[in-house]
Amino acid sequence: MVSVGEPIGVADPRLFGSFVEHLGRGVYGGIFEPGHPRATVEGFRGDVLELVRELGVSVVRYPGGNFVSGYNWRDGIGPSTDRPRRLDLAWKSIETNEFGTDEFAAWCRAAEVEPMLAVNLGLGDVRSALELLEYTNYSSGTALSDERRSNGAADPHDVRLWCLGNELDGPWQLGHRSAEEYAELAAASASAMRMFDQDLELVVVGSSNADMETFGSWEATVLSRTIDLVDFISCHIYFYNDGDLPAFLGSAAALDRFLEGVASTIRHVQTVTRSSRDIRISLDEWNVWNYRAYDALKPGRSFEQAPRLLEEEYTLADAVVVGTLLQSIISHADVVAIAALAQLVNVIGAIRAEPNGEAWRQSIFYPFAAVARSAGHTVHQTAVRSGSPESDARVTVTRSADGESVHVHVAHLALDRPVDVEIDLAEFWPERVAHAELLWHPDPYASNTQEDPVTVAPSTLETSLRGGRLSVTLPPLSWASMRVACRVSG
Ligand code: AHR
């Protein structure tokens, strides 16, 4: 029996963000493909736009990632034919700059998502960040704002969320710095950006992963200098299956520890600086990324335009793990305010698209879309009686603000047996199960392909609701999402 406990916090809609980087076919052949039969007048792929809306993405980070640390945003504005072709050293690619800041802002409007822009604090500087900010957000009457208007964007893009660089703790990053050096640069950038607009929401760079030698000390140093200047500290984490499937299925425990580690460092810095500022976590890159696909920087590869890089084919096992990672994220709704599935299309993406061809949902699309429907809900603690069969299941319960619906997400991680799960929802006055879906396949490594894009897709799940208790039987290695309609008391 699973019992439901106290509320943890409200799942901010921004927990269901994603990320589009100039990397491989993420932009070109991903969200942007003029000439595709489903292209909009702006050259955006209409089929991909539909899938992005269906996925329920709220906010999209751009333009990188490692790419941003070598990017000059001015290369990506103005008449497309005048834009320079450049080498992108981060991903050993040729960047045509056909797609830039104005196109991204227009794409966000079409996709109905909020933009989250990263400034270049690798090879870039405070001035280039400020100029980008003025270009995107100032109304008119200055050289930069009028340049934007003459490039076709009469209204400012009004971007609220800004990342102060990307992964500058990583030696692979162009412009990699020590924590002390980055802290000074981030503080200078944040102060200057706030001189333009006090109310911007700023994300300072945290650790690139939990295994970084500097994890913990990086956050402490950077936040001690910037705590009163920023709103969020980032963290990034990717998980992979090295062949030990049971260990891989336990990935969410490592995410729990990572988030709790960052949260305790935030509290430590608040204590030592006597700051009452409410700093939250921006987990702005997370996903399953099987490193066997990490072929971007293979020696001998030549610079190419929009090469096929990191085109992960996600399996059922990956989807179940992604579901558990989402459960971990929403279960930390008290400390995590933003999260971005990295990435959106083609590049370690929830969506795949072929040039001139179809777009389809990868297996990981489904748990993301299901949990994203819990945006704005209160997330409740859950407890599984120890030793009960449900101990192989991870259960999350959320409740809508109006009390009319409760969502239950269950990951079943045992590989060799089904499980009966019973969840006590009596306190919510449940009336009927309005929707119940199961993601399952007998082969943990089954995936969706261009030839068969629905191999791993949800089917209807049988449930029973008696005496306020919701019961389901789940097959080995599966994911279930249920929506229960409730009576509103009073
Ligand atoms: O998402 C792919 C890459 O992973 C990003 O460019 C970088 O920030 C991270 O290391």
Side-chain angles (χ1 to χ4, degrees):
M1 163 81 82
V2 178
S3 56
V4 179
E6 292 300 303
I8 298 168
V10 173
D12 193 308
R14 283 173 166 178
L15 294 182
F16 307 104
S18 188
F19 173 36
V20 170
E21 177 168 9
H22 283 253
L23 191 185
R25 299 190 311 116
V27 171
Y28 305 106
I31 60 172
F32 183 69
E33 189 180 332
H36 184 277
R38 299 279 318 271
T40 64
V41 282
E42 302 97 329
F44 307 149
R45 276 193 63 156
D47 51 351
V48 171
L49 277 172
E50 274 168 21
L51 289 176
V52 171
R53 291 191 210 102
E54 181 186 322
L55 187 60
V57 170
S58 52
V59 52
V60 175
R61 181 170 175 253
Y62 172 88
N66 297 342
F67 171 81
V68 76
S69 296
Y71 181 53
N72 180 351
W73 66 269
R74 292 205 58 95
D75 290 343
I77 58 167
S80 174
T81 45
D82 296 349
R83 297 187 192 177
R85 289 166 66 84
R86 302 269 188 214
L87 291 185
D88 160 26
L89 300 181
W91 299 108
K92 211 168 179 193
S93 301
I94 292 173
E95 174 57 53
T96 63
N97 284 303
E98 240 188 299
F99 189 97
T101 306
D102 291 315
E103 287 77 21
F104 177 66
W107 181 84
C108 286
R109 285 191 291 276
E112 298 162 30
V113 301
E114 178 184 3
M116 178 184 198
L117 286 186
V119 297
N120 178 352
L121 293 188
L123 303 186
D125 57 12
V126 181
R127 180 177 292 281
S128 67
L130 277 181
E131 288 177 351
L132 173 60
L133 179 59
E134 182 177 336
Y135 180 85
T136 56
N137 281 14
Y138 196 64
S139 50
S140 64
T142 65
L144 284 164
S145 56
D146 287 343
E147 191 176 358
R148 183 199 67 241
R149 288 166 65 85
S150 69
N151 289 337
D155 295 325
H157 300 312
D158 194 25
V159 179
R160 309 311 309 160
L161 258 180
W162 293 83
C163 302
L164 302 174
N166 178 71
E167 292 191 351
L168 287 146
D169 61 328
W172 58 86
Q173 200 71 206
L174 288 169
H176 160 60
R177 287 171 168 75
S178 68
E180 290 76 11
E181 288 165 339
Y182 172 69
E184 285 309 320
L185 180 59
S189 309
S191 310
M193 290 170 82
R194 290 213 186 279
M195 289 169 81
F196 174 84
D197 181 345
Q198 187 59 37
D199 299 327
L200 294 175
E201 296 179 87
L202 303 179
V203 185
V204 75
V205 166
S207 289
S208 298
N209 63 67
D211 295 330
M212 298 298 292
E213 260 178 45
T214 48
F215 172 48
S217 63
W218 174 278
E219 282 78 1
T221 304
V222 167
L223 265 187
S224 301
R225 177 71 182 87
T226 59
I227 192 161
D228 290 322
L229 295 168
V230 301
D231 303 281
F232 310 100
I233 182 153
S234 76
C235 53
H236 294 175
I237 196 162
Y238 294 95
F239 296 92
Y240 64 100
N241 179 358
D242 65 3
D244 181 349
L245 184 53
F248 174 57
L249 296 174
S251 296
L255 179 56
D256 292 338
R257 279 195 301 278
F258 190 32
L259 296 174
E260 283 152 25
V262 178
S264 66
T265 308
I266 294 172
R267 284 194 296 274
H268 166 74
V269 177
Q270 284 165 332
T271 306
V272 296
T273 60
R274 319 289 194 262
S275 173
S276 55
R277 197 163 170 94
D278 183 22
I279 302 288
R280 300 284 175 106
I281 296 172
S282 173
L283 176 65
D284 44 43
E285 287 186 34
W286 70 269
N287 201 350
V288 169
W289 177 0
N290 289 306
Y291 288 113
R292 61 175 185 262
Y294 193 91
D295 53 359
L297 303 169
K298 262 199 294 231
R301 220 196 95 222
S302 50
F303 286 87
E304 285 167 72
Q305 197 175 309
R308 285 182 184 265
L309 297 178
L310 321 184
E311 299 206 354
E312 195 88 26
E313 196 169 280
Y314 286 112
T315 64
L316 171 75
D318 296 332
V320 175
V321 169
V322 162
T324 62
L325 299 174
L326 283 156
Q327 290 177 311
S328 168
I329 291 167
I330 65 171
S331 300
H332 290 90
D334 51 339
V335 288
V336 185
I338 301 168
L341 177 75
Q343 299 191 7
L344 187 58
V345 192
N346 290 332
V347 176
I348 42 175
I351 298 167
R352 277 290 299 271
E354 278 302 305
N356 228 8
E358 302 296 313
W360 66 95
R361 302 163 188 82
Q362 295 238 42
S363 61
I364 64 170
F365 184 102
Y366 296 106
F368 188 99
V371 184
R373 291 193 281 269
S374 296
H377 283 205
T378 299
V379 185
H380 284 259
Q381 287 173 345
T382 53
V384 179
R385 198 183 312 128
S386 74
S388 72
E390 284 117 335
S391 51
D392 289 325
R394 192 168 168 143
V395 180
T396 312
V397 174
T398 72
R399 186 188 196 212
S400 62
D402 59 12
E404 283 178 7
S405 63
V406 163
H407 291 186
V408 180
H409 304 289
V410 187
H412 178 220
L413 303 174
L415 292 166
D416 55 354
R417 56 187 178 277
V419 68
D420 295 323
V421 183
E422 193 178 45
I423 305 136
D424 185 358
L425 299 177
E427 66 176 286
F428 301 126
W429 300 93
E431 288 193 322
R432 69 188 166 85
V433 178
H435 179 81
E437 64 181 42
L438 173 72
L439 193 67
W440 177 73
H441 192 282
D443 176 4
Y445 292 106
S447 61
N448 295 339
T449 58
Q450 190 177 8
E451 296 69 41
D452 192 350
V454 290
T455 303
V456 184
S459 57
T460 304
L461 174 67
E462 265 188 42
T463 58
S464 102
L465 184 64
R466 276 194 210 99
R469 291 179 177 183
L470 173 67
S471 307
V472 282
T473 300
L474 299 180
L477 192 58
S478 55
W479 168 264
S481 285
M482 289 148 276
R483 179 159 49 87
V484 179
C486 299
R487 177 150 55 90
V488 181
S489 51

